[in-house]
Amino acid sequence: MSEYGAGASIYHQQDSIKPGDASGWWHPENWQTYYHMENWKVIAERDFIWGSYIWNMFDFGAAHRTEGDRPGINDKGLVTFDRKVKKDAFYFYKANWNKEEPFVYIANRRYADRTSGTTDIIVFSNLSEVELFVNGNSQGVRKSDGYAVFTWKGVSVNKDVNDIEACGGQKKRGVTDQVIWNCR
């Protein structure tokens, strides 16, 4: 199976999972992540598919392109054009394919200025269990959904600053990831 992907700008963030317009300028990062998660589930459930090709590892120049956050760039990569930022979808695949290096990664991290007092929090990890903390308060331990995804639904966040931390293994000796989100 070849060439599946969706455009994503790290500057386009939204709270709902809605596709952007493929030929338009709005290419939300969380849509790309969702698109890859759902495609991977379909592929992984079919033993007769022995290979697939993600389109594409890196954003790349394409002079005729007039969509995404800037003209002349195909933004379907899992990593930005300058090779500096790995998009959320990159970490989804890392959690599924890399069993050697334990890690946790909080998705939707660049959607830092939230407008709602509740939010779903998604973590990718190659560990079997992850605990989530919001402002130091445990939101509970979750087990993987079978595709390296851990989800906490309807988590309450404070107005102003929120410290979000995901921990795999023991908090002091395990692996962690942390982001700061603001809520207006």
Side-chain angles (χ1 to χ4, degrees):
M1 187 175 131
S2 70
E3 294 187 21
Y4 64 98
S9 169
I10 61 171
Y11 304 109
H12 296 176
Q13 304 296 326
Q14 61 187 10
D15 58 358
S16 59
I17 299 177
K18 295 184 293 196
D21 179 0
S23 60
W25 72 272
W26 184 249
H27 287 182
E29 184 179 14
N30 73 340
W31 173 254
Q32 180 194 53
T33 305
Y34 173 79
Y35 183 90
H36 280 285
M37 289 167 59
E38 293 304 307
N39 273 277
W40 178 246
K41 287 177 188 176
V42 169
I43 293 167
E45 290 169 355
R46 287 164 173 76
D47 292 337
F48 59 87
I49 297 177
W50 56 268
S52 67
Y53 296 90
I54 298 167
W55 190 258
N56 201 27
M57 182 63 174
F58 302 102
D59 291 350
F60 60 93
H64 65 285
R65 295 280 183 172
T66 57
E67 75 267 356
D69 64 2
R70 61 204 148 145
I73 300 291
N74 183 316
D75 65 357
K76 291 181 185 73
L78 302 179
V79 180
T80 57
F81 180 77
D82 61 7
R83 312 311 197 249
K84 291 184 179 177
V85 180
K86 296 171 183 159
K87 300 176 190 179
D88 288 349
F90 174 94
Y91 290 97
F92 168 74
Y93 286 111
K94 180 177 179 178
N96 278 281
W97 295 345
N98 180 347
K99 304 303 179 193
E100 302 300 316
E101 174 191 354
F103 82 99
V104 295
Y105 176 85
I106 300 168
N108 301 313
R109 66 197 309 108
R110 281 171 281 281
Y111 181 43
D113 294 317
R114 308 268 168 151
T115 57
S116 175
T118 60
T119 188
D120 294 348
I121 299 178
I122 297 171
V123 173
F124 302 135
S125 179
N126 55 4
L127 301 171
S128 60
E129 293 184 341
V130 173
E131 186 170 9
L132 182 72
F133 294 88
V134 175
N135 299 318
N137 299 311
S138 176
Q139 304 300 304
V141 175
R142 296 285 187 274
K143 293 186 181 299
S144 170
D145 69 349
Y147 297 99
V149 178
F150 302 77
T151 305
W152 289 261
K153 293 209 174 265
V155 176
S156 295
V157 292
N158 297 331
K159 279 208 172 285
D160 298 321
V161 178
N162 291 276
D163 180 6
I164 314 297
E165 183 178 17
C167 302
Q170 296 178 355
K171 188 171 181 181
K172 293 189 186 225
R173 292 182 296 163
V175 292
T176 64
D177 190 25
Q178 187 172 15
V179 296
I180 301 294
W181 290 340
N182 299 305
C183 183
R184 294 183 247 151

